[in-house]
Amino acid sequence: MSSSKKIVTLYELNRLVSKVIESEMPSEYWVEAELSECRESRGHCYMELIQKDERTATPIAKASAKCWANKWMLIRPGFERTTGQRLHAGMKVLLKVFAQFHEAYGFSWIVTDIDPTYTLGDMARKRQEIIRQLKEEGVFDLQKELQLPLFCQRIAVISSETAAGYGDFCNQLADNPYGFQFQTRLFPAIMQGEGVEQSIINALGRIFSEYSDDSEDSDIPFDCVVIIRGGGATSDMSGFDTLALAENVANFPLPIITGIGHDRDESILDMVSHIRVKTPTAAAALLIDHLKTVLDVINDAQEQIIRLAQQKLTSHKSRLSTFAEILPRLFTNVKTRQEARLDSLNSRMTTAIRQSIITQQSLINALEVKMPIILDRRLMAEQHRLQLIEEKTKSLDPALLLKRGYSITLHNGKAVRSPQQLQSGDEIETRLANGTLRSTVIK
């Protein structure tokens, strides 16, 4: 090995780089970046930063960043209080950093501050972009067009099975002061952290599957869907501000009530849902009040029906009493008029019958006088007609024709009128005035 070569150890080289960075980059810098990863360990926060090409979304820069526990415990509460969210992958941040090169761990940016207003502005921009897209798709207000069924008692619940809010929701429904009966069915989902979006979408898919299977039989299993979250950190709200979840909720065929337990501005999930309340217990109170309103309407209608029926009965009783007083007098008057009418008809009928009898008797008497004369005339006319028929019959007697020299030829007892009726060998009979001849046809 040549003695002219200067050899350093890796530690010495890294130490040299560290001194160069400390001397050449002593300042702190505000840097814009997107988080591709963010995790906490032993009170420290470890971040992976990325910058993407605005047109192609291709990563063009990457770096690691750390926020040590003594800084992170001060930065985190203010950031989450202002933005309402935890740091998470996909979030854009404005970090105050300085460069550090550690001999053992290499280069990283050390975070000393985070500007929450920058992230808040980016979040607002993303929210407005999602809202704009939902409105362009025409689905933003679809849930508002639905109506809760009058008897909304079968509830599909999307929540964490162990969430205190889910228990509070079920207990309030069960212990309602009116004795209403509700049937709830839980569709478990992750309600905080990065898995919120897909978990709720999967739960909606399971509900829709049962809804679709039973809708053909007109026996829809649920009246509405309630998405509730209780006891979670207010900073775990980013999963409720996504386009995919909003589209699934907006297009869902059943009314969706949200009660995800936060007092900040509405999430996009709240905006597209049918009704938004603050807490799970408020969602239960809404359902109870809805049934109470329906019950009040039914009771009012029942009272009104009873009142109208009583009024009708009173009115009809009054009319019946009036009729009871009037009817006897009316009956007497009608009876008197009808009796007089019957007497008049009887008298007229008697007179008419007597007159008819007299008229018919006169006709009979006249007929008795006329009948002999008519009969004599008819007999004379018929005798004259018979004499004419007799004379005509005599003139047609065949015997007279035979006496005049005519004859009649018969074959098999029937008169022969044409030679074509006979054949050679036929026997014929010829009747004359004074006898009969039998002949055989030769030709």
Side-chain angles (χ1 to χ4, degrees):
M1 181 179 296
S2 174
S3 59
S4 61
K5 290 183 179 179
K6 183 174 177 60
I7 299 173
V8 295
T9 65
L10 178 61
Y11 177 83
E12 290 174 335
L13 181 62
N14 286 353
R15 182 63 180 163
L16 179 61
V17 172
S18 175
K19 289 181 177 180
V20 170
I21 290 177
E22 287 178 3
S23 62
E24 296 298 327
M25 299 180 66
S27 303
E28 292 183 319
Y29 304 91
W30 284 102
V31 59
E32 296 176 336
E34 179 180 328
L35 296 176
S36 63
E37 183 181 336
C38 184
R39 59 186 177 86
E40 291 185 44
S41 178
R42 298 180 181 180
H44 310 300
C45 181
Y46 298 89
M47 310 171 202
E48 293 295 329
L49 308 181
I50 192 171
Q51 180 180 348
K52 298 177 182 178
D53 186 282
E54 293 182 357
R55 294 172 298 175
T56 63
T58 302
I60 57 176
K62 292 183 180 180
S64 296
K66 302 178 182 67
C67 187
W68 302 123
N70 60 337
K71 286 287 186 180
W72 181 239
M73 65 184 298
L74 299 175
I75 293 172
R76 175 182 171 180
F79 181 85
E80 292 180 354
R81 184 171 54 254
T82 302
T83 64
Q85 296 194 28
R86 288 181 177 178
L87 285 175
H88 59 82
M91 178 180 282
K92 286 192 175 181
V93 290
L94 181 61
L95 308 173
K96 189 176 185 180
V97 300
F98 67 86
Q100 183 182 73
F101 190 90
H102 192 275
E103 293 83 352
Y105 303 110
F107 179 84
S108 65
W109 294 104
I110 305 302
V111 178
T112 59
D113 198 3
I114 303 176
D115 186 353
T117 57
Y118 175 86
T119 302
L120 196 64
D122 184 68
M123 289 165 51
R125 181 190 60 76
K126 287 182 178 179
R127 280 163 54 88
Q128 290 303 316
E129 177 62 23
I130 292 173
I131 292 169
R132 182 193 63 76
Q133 188 168 343
L134 291 171
K135 290 183 177 180
E136 285 183 356
E137 293 173 3
V139 301
F140 189 79
D141 293 317
L142 284 182
Q143 274 281 317
K144 302 298 188 294
E145 297 174 6
L146 301 178
Q147 290 186 344
L148 284 177
L150 290 178
F151 301 97
C152 188
Q153 296 171 279
R154 299 171 300 173
I155 317 299
V157 183
I158 297 177
S159 182
S160 172
E161 191 170 6
T162 59
Y166 172 61
D168 294 340
F169 174 80
C170 293
N171 291 335
Q172 184 152 343
L173 286 183
D175 298 334
N176 71 85
Y178 311 107
F180 298 144
Q181 298 296 313
F182 293 89
Q183 296 86 44
T184 60
R185 181 173 167 189
L186 176 65
F187 290 82
I190 298 171
M191 300 306 290
Q192 58 184 0
E194 296 183 8
V196 169
E197 176 191 51
Q198 194 56 48
S199 183
I200 295 178
I201 289 174
N202 291 340
L204 287 171
R206 294 195 297 274
I207 297 170
F208 181 76
S209 177
E210 296 193 21
Y211 171 89
S212 301
D213 291 342
D214 291 341
S215 61
E216 295 179 359
D217 302 326
S218 299
D219 185 20
I220 297 173
F222 304 111
D223 298 315
C224 73
V225 178
V226 174
I227 301 176
I228 53 177
R229 168 186 180 272
T234 57
S235 58
D236 289 332
M237 304 304 299
S238 59
F240 302 103
D241 279 335
T242 68
L243 176 63
L245 179 56
E247 288 176 333
N248 274 268
V249 169
N251 287 286
F252 205 75
L254 292 175
I256 293 180
I257 300 170
T258 58
I260 52 180
H262 61 100
D263 295 323
R264 68 178 183 86
D265 293 338
E266 287 182 307
S267 68
I268 294 176
L269 174 64
D270 291 324
M271 293 179 184
V272 299
S273 65
H274 179 66
I275 299 175
R276 176 251 181 169
V277 294
K278 289 184 178 181
T279 63
T281 53
L286 170 71
L287 293 170
I288 294 169
D289 291 343
H290 176 74
L291 269 188
K292 180 61 169 59
T293 300
V294 174
L295 179 61
D296 290 342
V297 171
I298 293 173
N299 288 336
D300 290 344
Q302 180 179 349
E303 292 177 2
Q304 187 174 2
I305 290 171
I306 293 173
R307 185 170 61 254
L308 290 174
Q310 289 175 342
Q311 291 175 355
K312 286 288 184 183
L313 284 174
T314 302
S315 174
H316 288 315
K317 283 181 180 179
S318 175
R319 292 180 64 190
L320 286 173
S321 298
T322 303
F323 288 151
E325 295 176 0
I326 295 174
L327 279 176
R329 295 198 301 270
L330 292 176
F331 179 76
T332 300
N333 294 337
V334 170
K335 180 182 177 183
T336 301
R337 288 198 300 271
Q338 293 301 321
E339 286 178 347
R341 184 168 175 269
L342 287 173
D343 289 342
S344 175
L345 288 173
N346 184 45
S347 175
R348 289 166 60 189
M349 285 179 63
T350 302
T351 302
I353 290 171
R354 287 175 180 171
Q355 185 63 40
S356 179
I357 291 172
I358 293 171
T359 302
Q360 296 301 321
Q361 187 64 48
S362 300
L363 289 174
I364 292 170
N365 293 336
L367 288 173
E368 285 180 350
V369 174
K370 293 180 179 179
M371 281 296 291
I373 299 172
I374 293 171
L375 288 174
D376 288 342
R377 290 179 180 174
R378 185 63 180 269
L379 285 173
M380 289 178 63
E382 292 300 321
Q383 286 176 354
H384 179 67
R385 192 168 68 84
L386 287 173
Q387 287 175 358
L388 293 176
I389 291 172
E390 182 179 0
E391 290 177 0
K392 187 175 182 180
T393 302
K394 287 179 180 180
S395 65
L396 297 175
D397 187 353
L400 294 176
L401 294 175
L402 293 176
K403 287 179 180 181
R404 294 176 185 172
Y406 293 97
S407 65
I408 300 174
T409 301
L410 303 174
H411 176 250
N412 294 332
K414 295 182 179 179
V416 178
R417 292 182 173 82
S418 172
Q420 283 74 22
Q421 292 180 248
L422 302 176
Q423 296 178 358
S424 296
D426 287 345
E427 290 188 358
I428 58 175
E429 179 182 329
T430 302
R431 291 184 183 179
L432 304 174
N434 296 319
T436 301
L437 298 176
R438 294 185 181 276
S439 310
T440 299
V441 177
I442 299 174
K443 184 176 179 180

